[in-house]
Amino acid sequence: MLIKLTGGTVYDPASGMAGQQQDLFIQDGRIVDAPTDGRPVDQEYDLRGKVVMSGAIDMHTHIGGGKGNIARTLLPEDHRLDPVHRTPVTRSGNGHAMPSTYVAGYRYAEMGYTACFEPAVLPINARQAHMEMGDTPIVDKGGYVMLGSDDFLLRMLTAKKDQKAVNDYVAWTLNAAKGIGIKVVNAGGINAFKFNQRKLDLDEKNSHYDVTPRQILQTLARAVKELGITHPLHVHGCNLGVPGNLETTLNTIQGIEGLPMHLTHIQFHSYGTEGDFKFSSGAAQIAEAINQNKNISADVGQILFGQTVTASGDNMRQHANHRFASPNKWVCMDIECDAGCGVVPFKYKDQNFVNALQWAIGLEIFLLVEDPWRIFLTTDHPNGAPFTSYPHLIRLLMDRSFRNDMLATIHPEAQKMTTLASIEREYSLSEIAIMTRAGAARIIGLKDRGALSPGNFADITVYTENADRQAMFTKPDYVFKDGELVVKDGQVVKVTWGTTHIVKPEYDLSIENELKPYFDKYLTMKLGNFKISDDEISEDGRGSLTAHPLRGAA
């Protein structure tokens, strides 16, 4: 079947298109060249006057894994039908902060998103994470595998194993857990918490293993690069949320010694200690460091006001923040001693000084980082805000007048502590397309997504041009997933199942000679059960696996 999308105004940064009128053709799920053999078009959509982009990609959103289920269980009052969204009432879990898997797929698609990536897949819990993502319809998905507080790695570092041995372990884990990248959460800190350490700075030693977060980050970043994994080491840094953590973040950037590194939800790591409240913005220094260090990328983790729930593997910091829980209930737990999980409900308030300044800090970072290919639109769903707030965030970035109107309503002392009002920059449609499409596909390593050139999969979103960018990005006219129309006028019209994106770096099989006795002695799961087969991802007919090529491995 040949489909023609006629006369749309195309924003496709990967192909160098910024607002040109262009016809697109779809056949067999992919974008193809205009036919030259006289073939008739089977279906045509008139897109004149409309904005056309590739499907949006959320490169950091918590949509799979045990913490999501804990959050849903902890907040039953959040799971009522939201009248703003047209979600199916026959399925439960219509939550605002943490909707069910099925509803999440609907809501993402209805905003024009066609791919989402879970940023914290605990290897021993990876099967459950993939099952949850497999129950999320329409969108593609993938996960970053969590290492950095795992006992086996810390034992390797203590024993001063060579880099090749670490690389084999990292590659084996990625293959076993079916991931597309490596994530570190508070390097060594989740583990240190279990030895009664309540903080762990970049050069502070884990009291049991005598290893520092800096050593862990350097070793894993080098492994990712040498294995040829496209996505840089995905780093949730030390001291999340702590006033003064600006210095830790700057030291982390310098301490990685030029290796590629992605700093996630960086807003939470950009705080100074100036002013009467001993809490200030470090956005300018962080943005300058990103601008100067081309090996560094970041997503923001913007907070937006209202009720949400924070869910993180960083139980060290979640335990420290539990006294701020709203409503007043929380969970911290351990998973096989290799990681942790903290779930703390939270309500961000515009008249709370700290919350208001956090809001401003995130926007400052967005607007001060110069290269849109290295900064990404996230709220760290659900930690900063639910992903359904993205259209509102886009309007804040694209509309200075609206942004300043919002700024005028927040805590007056926070207004005095931010330079936001003086920043004139407004994001363009091309820049939005870069950080939510082309740039996200590039940094994750998706070779045939995030662009509208022939050969790419036909993940396409069509909007009606609207000066109110929030309204525009809330309700697309059409969303095509792999060439099929799945959303029309902001409503799902067809349910499909996306692919799971992975990488398969090579490793020395002899690593299992060390892992098997370790599993037998210390873990409740056997080595054979730990590894997920390809068939498990697609055995129920919901989706498939797509293995992406590696960079030229060192």
Side-chain angles (χ1 to χ4, degrees):
M1 183 176 182
L2 183 63
I3 300 171
K4 182 181 181 182
L5 309 182
T6 303
T9 303
V10 175
Y11 289 85
D12 182 20
S15 304
M17 299 190 69
Q20 292 97 318
Q21 197 171 51
Q22 177 80 26
D23 296 340
L24 297 176
F25 294 85
I26 302 170
Q27 189 168 37
D28 297 329
R30 292 183 184 260
I31 299 168
V32 297
D33 288 310
T36 57
D37 57 2
R39 280 180 295 160
V41 170
D42 297 293
Q43 190 166 8
E44 184 173 2
Y45 294 84
D46 185 352
L47 304 187
R48 283 171 290 191
K50 298 187 184 298
V51 172
V52 181
M53 297 181 179
S54 62
I57 300 167
D58 194 342
M59 58 92 67
H60 184 111
T61 175
H62 294 281
I63 58 167
K67 60 193 173 300
N69 284 334
I70 296 168
R72 296 179 191 109
T73 304
L74 193 65
L75 291 172
E77 64 272 28
D78 188 51
H79 292 267
R80 56 179 66 93
L81 183 64
D82 185 349
V84 175
H85 300 97
R86 296 154 302 283
T87 46
V89 296
T90 55
R91 293 290 294 249
S92 63
N94 292 281
H96 168 70
M98 182 64 84
S100 69
T101 53
Y102 206 84
V103 171
Y106 268 63
R107 291 184 183 172
Y108 263 117
E110 289 173 348
M111 291 195 310
Y113 277 74
T114 55
C116 305
F117 288 83
E118 163 59 51
V121 176
L122 180 62
I124 206 160
N125 196 42
R127 182 171 282 103
Q128 188 272 344
H130 280 294
M131 290 177 72
E132 255 193 284
M133 290 189 286
D135 194 49
T136 304
I138 304 172
V139 296
D140 289 354
K141 62 278 295 183
Y144 314 136
V145 176
M146 247 174 82
L147 294 174
S149 277
D150 45 310
D151 177 65
F152 191 84
L153 175 67
L154 297 179
R155 286 169 182 257
M156 293 182 87
L157 297 182
T158 301
K160 301 189 184 308
K161 293 279 189 176
D162 62 24
Q163 185 67 46
K164 173 62 167 59
V166 173
N167 293 0
D168 286 335
Y169 170 61
V170 170
W172 179 89
T173 306
L174 259 177
N175 278 272
K178 295 289 182 286
I180 197 169
I182 295 294
K183 167 78 173 293
V184 178
V185 174
N186 189 4
I190 302 172
N191 180 286
F193 180 77
K194 298 167 190 180
F195 292 96
N196 291 319
Q197 287 180 263
R198 291 298 178 257
K199 66 179 185 66
L200 191 70
D201 213 338
L202 187 64
D203 292 305
E204 190 174 353
K205 290 184 177 180
N206 180 303
S207 62
H208 183 73
Y209 297 92
D210 204 35
V211 174
T212 69
R214 186 191 296 268
Q215 290 174 273
I216 296 168
L217 292 175
Q218 288 178 342
T219 301
L220 288 176
R222 192 169 291 112
V224 167
K225 182 178 181 181
E226 292 181 3
L227 289 169
I229 299 163
T230 297
H231 188 53
L233 185 66
H234 197 97
V235 176
H236 162 143
C238 306
N239 296 328
L240 179 144
V242 177
N245 63 13
L246 160 68
E247 293 304 321
T248 302
T249 306
L250 294 175
N251 288 336
T252 301
I253 291 172
Q254 293 304 316
I256 207 66
E257 297 179 352
L259 291 165
M261 180 172 64
H262 179 86
L263 294 171
T264 191
H265 43 64
I266 198 167
Q267 177 276 136
F268 289 105
H269 302 270
S270 303
Y271 305 151
T273 56
E274 298 175 3
D276 295 339
F277 294 90
K278 304 303 179 186
F279 184 79
S280 59
S281 171
Q285 297 98 309
I286 293 296
E288 182 180 8
I290 295 173
N291 290 336
Q292 291 178 352
N293 292 273
K294 306 304 181 185
N295 59 309
I296 302 297
S297 59
D299 62 82
V300 172
Q302 178 69 35
I303 77 115
L304 295 164
F305 303 119
Q307 180 68 53
T308 192
V309 57
T310 64
S312 173
D314 192 351
N315 52 6
M316 177 182 280
R317 297 311 314 152
Q318 290 293 77
H319 180 266
N321 291 330
H322 78 267
R323 63 188 184 276
F324 303 117
S326 177
N328 187 20
K329 48 186 173 179
W330 57 279
V331 171
C332 275
M333 63 174 290
D334 178 270
I335 304 172
E336 285 280 0
C337 298
D338 264 347
C341 180
V343 179
V344 182
F346 198 86
K347 188 172 185 177
Y348 294 101
K349 301 175 181 178
D350 60 359
Q351 297 309 308
N352 174 289
F353 169 78
V354 171
N355 296 167
L357 193 53
Q358 286 178 300
W359 174 85
I361 290 168
L363 293 173
E364 287 177 331
I365 294 170
F366 269 121
L367 297 164
L368 293 174
V369 172
E370 296 166 356
D371 184 0
W373 291 91
R374 293 191 292 120
I375 192 79
F376 300 93
L377 188 139
T378 67
T379 57
D380 186 22
H381 165 78
N383 291 288
F387 66 80
T388 46
S389 60
Y390 286 171
H392 175 73
L393 175 53
I394 288 172
R395 185 179 181 189
L396 287 169
L397 297 176
M398 297 190 73
D399 186 340
R400 185 190 180 200
S401 176
F402 175 71
R403 185 167 69 233
N404 286 341
D405 287 345
M406 289 287 295
L407 175 63
T409 67
I410 68 172
H411 192 291
E413 293 302 315
Q415 293 181 46
K416 297 175 185 177
M417 294 291 288
T418 176
T419 62
L420 192 58
S422 65
I423 301 176
E424 297 182 359
R425 181 181 177 187
E426 294 178 318
Y427 268 70
S428 66
L429 283 172
S430 289
E431 288 174 320
I432 294 296
I434 291 170
M435 71 174 178
T436 62
R437 275 102 169 154
R442 176 188 289 184
I443 197 169
I444 296 169
L446 309 182
K447 303 301 182 184
D448 43 22
R449 312 276 175 174
L452 298 175
S453 52
N456 282 274
F457 279 94
D459 293 350
I460 302 170
T461 304
V462 179
Y463 304 98
T464 293
E465 175 68 47
N466 191 333
D468 181 344
R469 300 306 193 188
Q470 182 170 340
M472 174 177 165
F473 282 96
T474 296
K475 185 180 178 181
D477 296 78
Y478 303 107
V479 180
F480 294 87
K481 181 72 187 81
D482 296 328
E484 294 191 74
L485 181 65
V486 294
V487 171
K488 183 178 180 181
D489 296 328
Q491 288 188 297
V492 171
V493 294
K494 183 174 184 178
V495 173
T496 63
W497 299 96
T499 193
T500 297
H501 297 279
I502 63 170
V503 290
K504 292 186 172 184
E506 294 182 357
Y507 59 91
D508 188 334
L509 290 172
S510 66
I511 187 68
E512 292 194 358
N513 295 335
E514 296 183 57
L515 283 164
K516 187 179 185 306
Y518 176 84
F519 270 72
D520 291 343
K521 184 174 183 178
Y522 295 109
L523 299 182
T524 59
M525 184 183 288
K526 298 301 182 184
L527 184 73
N529 300 116
F530 184 93
K531 295 187 285 187
I532 302 172
S533 70
D534 290 0
D535 290 344
E536 289 182 71
I537 303 294
S538 56
E539 62 186 353
D540 61 358
R542 292 185 173 187
S544 58
L545 274 177
T546 298
H548 289 274
L550 301 167
R551 295 183 189 272

